[in-house]
Structure formats: C-alpha cells, structure tokens
C-alpha cells in the first residue's frame, strides 16, 4: 500500500495509542462483544487479528479460549506497544506490517479477524486478497466495521473524509458483500447493530473458498 497514505494512519494511531483504551472503552466493549457474539472455536486454532490495535480482541478471545495461538498485525508501533504491555497477551505474537503485506506463509491461519478498521484500507481488494492468501481453505474471516446503511454513520463518514486524512471510506452491507464474494469468501452470517446514535456496524462471518 502507498507509504504516504499509510503514514497518516500510523501517525494518527501512534498519537492516540497511550489513551486509546480509556478514551474508547465503551465503543471497544460494544464492538468487540458484538463481533465475538455466538462465534465458536475448538480452542486450538491459529488466529490472526489484523489490525490488532491495542490487542483488546485477543484479550477477550484468550479469556474464553486460552490455548488459541494468536498473531496480531498493525501499522502503528505505539498501538503494538500498548498490546505488548498487557500481561494477558504474553503468548500473542505481534508484528508491525500493513494488511496488504502480511509476514506469513500461505494457508497459515484457521481464522482471521478484521475489526473496526476496514474503513482505513485504501486498497480493500488487495487487503482481502492478502487475508485470503494466509487463510486456509475453509478457514473463517470475521470482518466487522462501520456500515453506511445507517444514515448517521454515512454522514459521519462523509465528514471524516474531509477532515481526517487517515480515513478512507465506509461501505453498505451490499457493497461489502460484493467485495467479499469477489475475494473468494462465502458469507455464512451477516449482522447489523448500533453502537450509539452515530455508529452503526455490520459483522460478517465468512468462509474462505470451498464455495
Ligand atoms: C480503530 S483501531 C482498531 C483496532 C482493533 N482492531 C480493535 O478493534 O480494537 C484501527 C487500527 O487499524 C490500524 N491500521 C489501519 N490501517 C492499517 C493497515 N493498512 N495495515 C495494518 N494496520 C492498519 C491502525 O494502526 C489502528 O491500530
């Protein structure tokens, strides 16, 4: 991905990192609990969280399934540092990288999470292709992000496009479904939910290939 655009994201999150968990605690709680809602694991899977941010999704996953092997990837060294400082994440491998250049071999993971971040990706097709490459056939991608089907969210996105150089764009459920289908993901389940009066979210549970 173009270095000057990823620089905006990295700078923004390096600045936000020290206060991120406190400032956004209720947003984090709602979005991550709704993302994990009714997902099942055997407990020994290899999971990638991209972008991992401060690692809060991994904290929640390991509480329920302590034997999961989790890798986390993020552009922002400061967000990764916040994750690395959490004692409950001592088994999680953290990597500084862009979602379009994941430092893993093909077919490495059983499940990939991509949460609260798709709206930053300048090249969503390349990001999904790269996620597909590292996910085994039949593995799961769980993607959750802001949803343009909620008017307030759409207006907020329009405003962010003007004022925030890190932000890229949001999608309707239908346009995201199309992107996923074109990237070889079969949709198993779709949910929409509200976080507050601004943010409306969508969560996709998908299966790679075997369609
Ligand atoms: C809103 S935070 C979400 C973090 C985490 N997924 C969560 O839900 O708590 C967005 C994260 O995406 C990361 N990010 C944005 N674009 C990225 C990219 N192209 N590759 C890797 N990380 C990226 C940012 O550095 C930031 O940590």
């Amino acid at each position: 991905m173009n270095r000057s655009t990823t620089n905006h994201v990295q700078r923004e999150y390096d600045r936000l990192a020290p206060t991120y968990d406190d400032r956004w605690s209720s947003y984090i709680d709602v979005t991550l609990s709704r993302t994990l809602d009714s997902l099942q694991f055997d407990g020994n899977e290899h999971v990638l969280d991209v972008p991992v941010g401060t690692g809060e999704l991994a904290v929640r996953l390991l509480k329920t399934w302590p034997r999961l092997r989790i890798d986390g990837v993020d552009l922002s060294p400061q967000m990764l540092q916040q994750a690395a400082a959490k004692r409950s994440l001592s088994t999680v491998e953290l990597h500084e990288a862009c979602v379009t250049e994941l430092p893993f071999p093909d077919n490495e993971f059983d499940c990939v999470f991509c949460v609260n971040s798709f709206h930053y990706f300048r090249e969503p097709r390349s990001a999904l292709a790269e996620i597909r490459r590292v996910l085994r056939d039949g593995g799961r991608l769980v993607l959750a992000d802001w949803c343009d089907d909620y008017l307030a969210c759409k207006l907020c996105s329009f405003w962010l496009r003007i004022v925030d150089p890190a932000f890229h764009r949001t999608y309707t459920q239908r346009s995201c479904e199309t992107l996923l289908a074109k990237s070889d993901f079969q949709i198993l389940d779709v949910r929409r939910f509200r976080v507050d009066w601004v943010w409306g979210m969508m969560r996709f549970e998908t299966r790679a290939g075997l369609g």
Side-chain angles (χ1 to χ4, degrees):
M1 207 177 281
N2 181 319
R3 194 61 212 161
S4 71
T5 52
T6 53
N7 277 347
H8 285 298
V9 178
Q10 185 186 319
R11 266 202 302 274
E12 179 164 315
Y13 276 94
D14 277 349
R15 186 175 51 79
L16 290 172
T19 55
Y20 183 85
D21 284 354
D22 287 340
R23 181 170 171 193
W24 297 106
S25 65
S26 74
Y27 173 87
I28 293 169
D29 263 348
V30 176
T31 57
L32 299 189
S33 63
R34 296 298 295 265
T35 295
L36 291 173
D37 190 27
S38 75
L39 294 181
Q40 290 305 324
F41 289 91
D42 292 337
N44 297 303
E45 289 91 339
H46 194 187
V47 173
L48 170 64
D49 184 14
V50 59
V52 66
T54 60
E56 281 299 305
L57 181 77
V59 168
R60 287 157 176 76
L61 282 170
L62 288 169
K63 241 181 221 160
T64 314
W65 296 284
R67 290 195 318 281
L68 288 176
R69 279 190 300 143
I70 304 183
D71 282 86
V73 166
D74 205 285
L75 270 183
S76 157
Q78 296 302 320
M79 292 293 271
L80 290 169
Q81 206 171 82
Q82 295 296 316
K86 292 178 182 168
R87 196 185 296 220
S88 61
L89 298 185
S90 58
T91 59
V92 174
E93 298 277 345
L94 297 167
H95 314 258
E96 185 184 326
C98 181
V99 64
T100 54
E101 290 170 35
L102 295 171
F104 308 106
D106 296 355
N107 308 312
E108 179 64 25
F109 293 95
D110 302 299
C111 181
V112 178
F113 283 93
C114 179
V115 183
N116 289 323
S117 307
F118 202 61
H119 54 272
Y120 288 114
F121 299 166
R122 262 69 188 166
E123 296 164 16
R125 293 291 296 273
S126 307
L128 288 174
E130 186 64 348
I131 288 171
R132 176 67 187 94
R133 179 185 70 75
V134 300
L135 199 52
R136 69 168 170 79
D137 286 345
R140 279 183 293 174
L141 165 64
V142 179
L143 188 152
D145 202 25
W146 304 350
C147 178
D148 261 359
D149 294 320
Y150 295 94
L151 181 63
C153 198
K154 194 173 186 159
L155 293 173
C156 175
S157 304
F158 182 73
W159 177 71
L160 284 174
R161 225 173 295 155
I162 297 166
V163 301
D164 181 358
F167 179 85
H168 181 52
R169 61 159 293 186
T170 44
Y171 302 85
T172 60
Q173 179 184 323
R174 181 177 285 231
S175 56
C176 206
E177 278 170 0
T178 304
L179 274 173
L180 287 163
K182 285 189 173 158
S183 307
D184 194 29
F185 292 102
Q186 187 192 340
I187 293 166
L188 304 175
D189 183 58
V190 193
R191 295 168 185 207
R192 288 198 301 220
F193 57 91
R194 274 210 165 280
V195 178
D196 56 22
W197 67 272
V198 179
W199 281 299
M201 303 273 299
M202 53 191 168
R203 183 202 83 175
F204 297 91
E205 184 183 2
T206 76
R207 183 164 48 200
L210 308 175

